Amino acid sequence: MANHKSSLKRIRNSETKRLRNRYQSRTTRNAMKKLREADKKEAETLFPSVVSMIDKLAKNNIIHDNKASNLKSQLAKHVNAL
């Protein structure tokens, strides 16, 4: 167990951030799943919000920038193919 006040605080902070990151990434994954199952019209309205969520994950270093680009590309191809 940690002994220093700063390390105890770091443990608390990192747990809070871990839970927040987990919530945001899970919400984004659910939105992507919903977009893939949607019909053409609904998918086109969902697409900008899902892309925005992916960009926020990349900006906060929850996912890598290249992964964000790949996800956006795959979703765009899917929406265009509908």
Side-chain angles (χ1 to χ4, degrees), residues 10 12-22:
R10 176 63 66 189
R12 290 195 307 270
N13 284 343
S14 59
E15 178 65 13
T16 304
K17 288 176 185 173
R18 183 185 74 85
L19 293 174
R20 186 183 310 124
N21 292 344
R22 198 169 156 214

Side-chain angles (χ1 to χ4, degrees), residues 7-78:
S7 57
L8 292 170
K9 182 177 179 181
R10 176 63 66 189
I11 290 168
R12 290 195 307 270
N13 284 343
S14 59
E15 178 65 13
T16 304
K17 288 176 185 173
R18 183 185 74 85
L19 293 174
R20 186 183 310 124
N21 292 344
R22 198 169 156 214
Y23 171 78
Q24 288 175 346
S25 58
R26 171 52 64 190
T27 305
T28 305
R29 285 201 302 269
N30 287 339
M32 288 190 300
K33 202 178 293 185
K34 188 176 178 184
L35 185 134
R36 285 193 187 104
E37 295 169 354
D39 60 328
K40 174 88 171 157
K41 194 167 198 160
E42 189 181 352
E44 285 177 343
T45 57
L46 282 174
F47 183 69
S49 63
V50 174
V51 167
S52 173
M53 293 168 90
I54 292 171
D55 285 336
K56 284 178 189 168
L57 290 181
K59 186 180 119 188
N60 294 329
N61 291 323
I62 298 172
I63 61 173
H64 196 275
D65 290 341
N66 290 352
K67 178 173 180 162
S69 296
N70 289 336
L71 289 172
K72 290 190 292 185
S73 173
Q74 288 169 2
L75 289 174
K77 280 171 60 176
H78 175 75

